[in-house]
Amino acid sequence: MDFNLLAFIWAAIIAFAVLAYIVLDGFDLGVGILFPFMKEEKERDLMMNSVAPIWDGNETWLVLGGGGLLAVFPLAYATILPALYAPIIAMLLGLIFRGVAFEFRWRTRRGKFLWDWAFAGGSMIAAFAQGVALGALVQGIHVENRAYAGGWWDWLTWFSLLTGVALIVGYGLLGATWLVMKTEGPVHDHARRLAKPAGIATLGLIGLVSLVTPFLEPQYLARWFDYPTVVFSLIVPLLVLGCAFILFNGLIRGGDHAPFFAAQAIFILCYAGIGISFYPYMVPTSVTIWDAAAPDSSLAFMLVGACILMPIILTYTGFAYWVFRGKVHADGGYH
């Protein structure tokens, strides 16, 4: 296996784009997941207003991650997509429904409840499909002769369903802590109450998935428990427990910001754990980063574009969050 610096840099860029999507669009989807738990129309209006200025920008990272995978790791793209057509299509349909609901919900009175369900249902379907796709990827994709060799339903297993449920609950936690940070009044108080059981369930599901994952593939078991990577297997759970303490301490003591950032840190640590398990594979245990990479000339050419576009994306994302940094009023304004 020959190390290729350009391929490694692009793998890091794709990994960063996916992580950025998870931490930014995760709470966005979580707000939609919590929609059915808010009975008052004004409360749902406030919830939607809390993410209205930034939701579409959050999904930029999904486009970058998916488009980048096609452009710089075409073999991985051609292998993963046929294996995960169903959950990926379900995710895209869910994102479409919730995106349309953002616009149409404010244009009607009689049909507003339909767009409420479109927003909530689209968020749940998108989150569940992402979790299922993750679980299917972790458990392995059958590859022969550099092509997907599995069946139509290989992605549908008890483990992928478990990760799908786990992501719904986890995104719900992110959404609840976001509302704690960004809203006031009944929505703030209700979100704080919801965040506690969501946090407990998220940690329980993380523990369950973590116990099962090492036994899905021998390479995972070796990676988690052989030196020196066993050090990370010890450090990451301790850091998760520390973040859990900050999360619940903030919720109990009335902190508005600490719970959100602690929940985000838990997601980042879980993502790091997945990265430790996957490296150096793009398709776990089948296709490495170096096998999947496009020619060096293509990687270099596209890296120039990435070096121009990524600072722009980061700048306008940061600017949007800075402009809309305050609490959201009931009338949709910020302070």
Side-chain angles (χ1 to χ4, degrees), residues 32 35-37 39 44 97-98 101 105 111-125:
F35 234 50
F37 295 94
K39 303 303 181 183
R44 293 192 292 273
F97 268 96
R98 70 188 301 274
R105 185 178 178 273
K112 197 170 188 177
F113 73 98
L114 294 174
W115 295 112
D116 283 350
W117 281 108
F119 184 62
S123 300
M124 291 180 187
I125 290 170

Side-chain angles (χ1 to χ4, degrees), residues 20-30 55 58-59 95 98:
Y21 173 76
I22 291 170
V23 300
L24 294 179
D25 209 43
F27 69 80
D28 185 347
L29 290 167
W55 73 272
N58 292 342
E59 294 181 358
L95 293 175
R98 70 188 301 274

Side-chain angles (χ1 to χ4, degrees), residues 280-318:
Y281 293 97
M282 291 298 294
V283 181
T285 73
S286 300
V287 180
T288 67
I289 294 170
W290 336 117
D291 295 333
D296 284 359
S297 56
S298 298
L299 297 178
F301 176 77
M302 288 181 288
L303 185 59
V304 174
C307 290
I308 296 171
L309 288 177
M310 286 194 67
I312 295 174
I313 297 171
L314 289 168
T315 300
Y316 82 65
T317 299

Side-chain angles (χ1 to χ4, degrees), residues 83 93 95 118 138 143 189 195 252 254 266 274 299 331:
L93 289 174
L95 293 175
V138 170
V143 178
D189 297 338
I252 292 169
I266 290 172
I274 294 172
L299 297 178
D331 60 3

Side-chain angles (χ1 to χ4, degrees), residues 84 129-139 159-160 163 167 274 278:
L84 302 178
Q130 289 174 20
V132 167
L134 173 63
L137 190 61
V138 170
Q139 71 191 11
F159 181 75
S160 66
T163 53
L167 205 59
I274 294 172
F278 276 20

Side-chain angles (χ1 to χ4, degrees), residues 28-237:
D28 185 347
L29 290 167
V31 169
I33 290 167
L34 296 179
F35 234 50
F37 295 94
M38 301 293 183
K39 303 303 181 183
E40 298 293 330
E41 183 178 320
K42 289 183 178 179
E43 293 181 355
R44 293 192 292 273
D45 290 347
L46 184 61
M47 292 171 68
M48 187 171 275
N49 279 332
S50 73
V51 295
I54 41 87
W55 73 272
D56 48 353
N58 292 342
E59 294 181 358
T60 303
W61 297 104
L62 181 63
V63 176
L64 177 60
L69 187 67
L70 170 62
V72 299
F73 297 109
L75 178 59
Y77 185 91
T79 304
I80 293 171
L81 263 291
L84 302 178
Y85 271 140
I88 289 174
I89 290 172
M91 178 192 73
L92 293 175
L93 289 174
L95 293 175
I96 289 169
F97 268 96
R98 70 188 301 274
V100 173
F102 262 105
E103 304 299 329
F104 279 52
R105 185 178 178 273
W106 305 101
R107 303 292 192 272
T108 180
R109 297 298 302 176
R110 288 187 303 172
K112 197 170 188 177
F113 73 98
L114 294 174
W115 295 112
D116 283 350
W117 281 108
F119 184 62
S123 300
M124 291 180 187
I125 290 170
F128 182 71
Q130 289 174 20
V132 167
L134 173 63
L137 190 61
V138 170
Q139 71 191 11
I141 293 174
H142 186 200
V143 178
E144 291 182 5
N145 299 320
R146 297 167 60 89
Y148 175 60
W152 284 101
W153 300 98
D154 284 9
W155 57 271
L156 185 59
T157 65
W158 68 268
F159 181 75
S160 66
L161 294 176
L162 174 64
T163 53
V165 172
L167 205 59
I168 288 179
V169 175
Y171 281 173
L173 171 64
L174 292 181
T177 53
W178 168 261
L179 293 172
V180 168
M181 184 173 70
K182 296 296 289 184
T183 64
E184 297 174 328
V187 173
H188 173 277
D189 297 338
H190 198 173
R192 187 180 295 277
R193 290 193 297 270
L194 289 172
K196 295 173 185 177
I200 294 171
T202 298
L203 292 171
L205 288 165
I206 288 172
L208 181 57
V209 171
S210 298
L211 287 174
V212 173
T213 299
F215 301 99
L216 294 175
E217 290 284 348
Q219 292 189 37
Y220 294 162
L221 190 63
R223 183 63 61 85
W224 284 37
F225 297 109
D226 286 355
Y227 186 81
T229 48
V230 68
V231 175
F232 295 99
S233 298
L234 295 174
I235 292 175
V236 170

